[in-house]
Amino acid sequence: MTGKNQKKYGASSFLPLLVFLALYIGSGLFFTIMGVDGAFKKFPRHVALLAGVIVGMVMNPSKTMDEKMDIFAKSAGNPGVMTIGLIYLLAGGFQGAARAMGGVQSVVNLGLTFIPGFALVPGIFIMSAIISTAIGTSMGTVAAMAPIAIGVAATAKLNLPVTCAAVICGAYFGDNLSMISDTTISAAKGVGSEMKDKFKMNFFIALPAAIIAAILYGVFSSGADLTGDYPFHIIRIIPYFVVLIAALSGFNVAGVLFIGIGMAGLIGIMQGTIDFLGWVSAIGGGMSDMFSITIVAILVSGILGIVRENGGVDWMVTSITSRIKDRKGAEYGIGLLSGILSAALVNNTIAIIISAPIAKEIGKNYGIAPKRLASLIDIFACAFLSVLPYDGGMLIVTGLAKTVSPLSVMKYMFYMFALIIVTSITIQFGLLRTEEEKQFLIDNNKK
């Protein structure tokens, strides 16, 4: 039987992924309705993915089980996925080591020390953005900033829902840009972009949105002053700057993270905040935090290999492109695919891992640069997820604030709304295109 005849399943090729979504999202929604805490953790996503793998193995009887296992293993273990997994683990190790030596608290306190009273809310937004860019995690940023921001809001009598929204939006600004964020890593590596190129593309979209958001948050800020001391140590912030600057300069990300981990340990030991074993333990703890998403990336990639072998990716690309009339439609389609998956999965990283190969295929047809593809899937995945009432960041701030509901916070998510608007403007008017992209459109008579 020829390869062409074997690849005949079309839409049904996605059954393994649909089983995963049905089990994971279905159980999460069920337990949410039942009022159970941690609803989306009751049916572990790894187990839901394993069910999808089993379905994939049962499909396509024209191939033996050994052949299907080979397809799964080759896709799950391809160099791109293994590189992503290594970077995930190193990023987690760096975050753990830097947190243990006091780096996160110093970054937070540095910003709070210099925030003027008339700019408290935009200052909180900016601080969340800086911290998230430095440490590479929106949830870690919200966990660090939310208690402080809520305390500041109570002391200064600020609008609490606005303050909570500023924390979440700032956290997603950095998560979308950070060189050690799992979303940045997944988006860039998934479509074949250099991370520094993806950062630059993202930055020119995110900056105008951030300025608009800061101005709007300023409207809701008061003239009260912060009280109390916020001690910080500049030396503890150095590893973050070294990692960010070195990664942006084009150095190998894995090598840069190794250096960051070493610097965090050296500074912590010199200052007495951790000892050698404490440093090693912190690295291990940070890596452990990334085990879950690393396994998810491997399993999803393996399932996508089966889906691709059964003709699913070809069907998806054909189906989407048949409805796309021009490059604008392609970019909107890619963004919406990533955003909808992110909202459905309640996880922007998994949504990016799934949508990246599809976006890459569509991008080839319309000459869309990899850095543009990476930016689109990352932006839409973060934006769609951040405004959901059951997003992790939203659950943290509303849980700490107690009197604030997700709906009261959602209407003040100025940055996320501005980010989608600015991104849509760049799509609609063809902004930020490279010379190669423009030439491709000319050569192929496309818009």
Side-chain angles (χ1 to χ4, degrees), residues 17 68-69 82 141 156 172 180 201 206 215 316 366-367 429:
L17 279 177
K68 286 181 277 193
M69 282 297 297
M82 292 297 101
T141 300
Y172 272 104
I180 58 173
M201 173 65 71
I215 292 172
M316 174 68 79
Y366 289 89
F429 295 98

Side-chain angles (χ1 to χ4, degrees), residues 355-367:
S355 59
I358 298 172
K360 187 175 181 180
E361 291 299 322
I362 296 173
K364 289 179 182 177
N365 293 339
Y366 289 89

Side-chain angles (χ1 to χ4, degrees), residues 247-414:
L248 287 175
S249 299
F251 289 96
N252 180 273
V253 175
V256 168
L257 288 171
F258 272 120
I259 294 172
I261 291 171
M263 289 186 66
L266 182 62
I267 292 170
I269 292 171
M270 287 174 56
Q271 291 205 313
T273 55
I274 53 173
D275 57 20
F276 177 76
L277 291 180
W279 172 60
V280 172
S281 178
I283 296 171
M287 293 176 71
S288 296
D289 291 340
M290 302 298 273
F291 285 169
S292 175
I293 193 62
T294 301
I295 295 300
V296 165
I298 292 171
L299 291 176
V300 168
S301 182
I303 290 176
L304 283 173
I306 295 174
V307 171
R308 184 181 296 107
E309 180 66 22
N310 291 339
V313 173
D314 290 340
W315 173 85
M316 174 68 79
V317 172
T318 301
S319 298
I320 294 177
T321 54
S322 65
R323 292 171 173 79
I324 294 173
K325 304 304 179 184
D326 51 23
R327 175 177 164 137
K328 292 179 186 177
E331 293 192 347
Y332 281 125
I334 289 168
L336 288 173
L337 172 66
S338 179
I340 292 170
L341 280 173
S342 181
L345 291 166
V346 201
N347 190 300
N348 49 351
T349 306
I350 299 177
I352 289 169
I353 292 170
I354 294 173
S355 59
I358 298 172
K360 187 175 181 180
E361 291 299 322
I362 296 173
K364 289 179 182 177
N365 293 339
Y366 289 89
I368 304 175
K371 62 182 179 181
R372 178 67 173 176
L373 294 172
S375 294
L376 288 173
I377 60 176
D378 198 354
I379 286 171
F380 278 85
C382 287
F384 276 49
L385 179 62
S386 65
V387 298
L388 295 177
Y390 49 82
D391 173 48
M394 188 72 75
L395 294 175
I396 290 174
V397 297
T398 53
L400 291 172
K402 299 186 184 302
T403 58
V404 173
S405 71
L407 290 177
S408 66
V409 175
M410 286 167 60
K411 61 185 178 183
Y412 296 114
M413 300 285 282
F414 300 135

Side-chain angles (χ1 to χ4, degrees), residues 1-13:
M1 186 177 289
T2 66
K4 182 176 179 180
N5 290 331
Q6 291 172 352
K7 297 184 179 182
K8 60 182 180 181
Y9 287 88
S12 62
S13 300

Side-chain angles (χ1 to χ4, degrees), residues 30-337:
F30 172 77
F31 287 117
T32 298
I33 294 171
M34 296 294 292
V36 177
D37 292 335
F40 280 87
K41 295 181 180 179
K42 294 299 180 182
F43 199 116
R45 57 194 179 193
H46 312 87
V47 180
L49 279 167
L50 187 59
V53 172
I54 294 172
V55 172
M57 292 298 170
V58 173
M59 295 178 66
N60 198 351
S62 65
K63 290 186 176 296
T64 67
M65 183 62 71
D66 287 341
E67 288 176 325
K68 286 181 277 193
M69 282 297 297
D70 284 343
I71 293 168
F72 175 87
K74 287 177 182 178
S75 184
N78 75 71
V81 175
M82 292 297 101
T83 300
I84 289 174
L86 175 61
I87 294 175
Y88 280 164
L89 296 176
L90 288 173
F94 172 67
Q95 291 169 13
R99 186 187 309 113
M101 66 89 173
V104 173
Q105 198 59 51
S106 281
V107 172
V108 171
N109 289 354
L110 173 66
L112 292 177
T113 298
F114 295 103
I115 295 176
F118 66 84
L120 285 178
V121 176
I124 288 170
F125 167 70
I126 293 170
M127 269 314 304
S128 291
I130 293 172
I131 294 167
S132 187
T133 303
I135 70 176
T137 164
S138 57
M139 292 304 100
T141 300
V142 172
M145 274 296 294
I148 298 170
I150 290 169
V152 168
T155 302
K157 295 181 172 56
L158 300 174
N159 183 316
L160 192 51
V162 175
T163 304
C164 290
V167 171
I168 297 173
C169 285
Y172 272 104
F173 172 93
D175 187 60
N176 193 225
L177 286 172
S178 176
M179 301 294 281
I180 58 173
S181 165
D182 52 4
T183 59
T184 295
I185 295 165
S186 301
K189 296 299 181 182
V191 299
S193 167
E194 291 292 331
M195 290 173 63
K196 63 176 183 177
D197 294 334
K198 186 264 184 189
F199 175 92
K200 293 173 184 176
M201 173 65 71
N202 250 100
F203 182 76
F204 287 116
I205 298 173
L207 182 60
I211 292 172
I212 293 170
I215 292 172
L216 291 174
Y217 285 128
V219 174
F220 294 90
S221 192
S222 68
D225 289 317
L226 287 170
T227 58
D229 295 325
Y230 298 93
F232 61 89
H233 302 269
I234 290 294
I235 192 172
R236 297 180 189 175
I237 304 173
I238 291 176
Y240 293 114
F241 286 113
V242 170
V243 167
L244 180 62
I245 293 171
L248 287 175
S249 299
F251 289 96
N252 180 273
V253 175
V256 168
L257 288 171
F258 272 120
I259 294 172
I261 291 171
M263 289 186 66
L266 182 62
I267 292 170
I269 292 171
M270 287 174 56
Q271 291 205 313
T273 55
I274 53 173
D275 57 20
F276 177 76
L277 291 180
W279 172 60
V280 172
S281 178
I283 296 171
M287 293 176 71
S288 296
D289 291 340
M290 302 298 273
F291 285 169
S292 175
I293 193 62
T294 301
I295 295 300
V296 165
I298 292 171
L299 291 176
V300 168
S301 182
I303 290 176
L304 283 173
I306 295 174
V307 171
R308 184 181 296 107
E309 180 66 22
N310 291 339
V313 173
D314 290 340
W315 173 85
M316 174 68 79
V317 172
T318 301
S319 298
I320 294 177
T321 54
S322 65
R323 292 171 173 79
I324 294 173
K325 304 304 179 184
D326 51 23
R327 175 177 164 137
K328 292 179 186 177
E331 293 192 347
Y332 281 125
I334 289 168
L336 288 173
L337 172 66

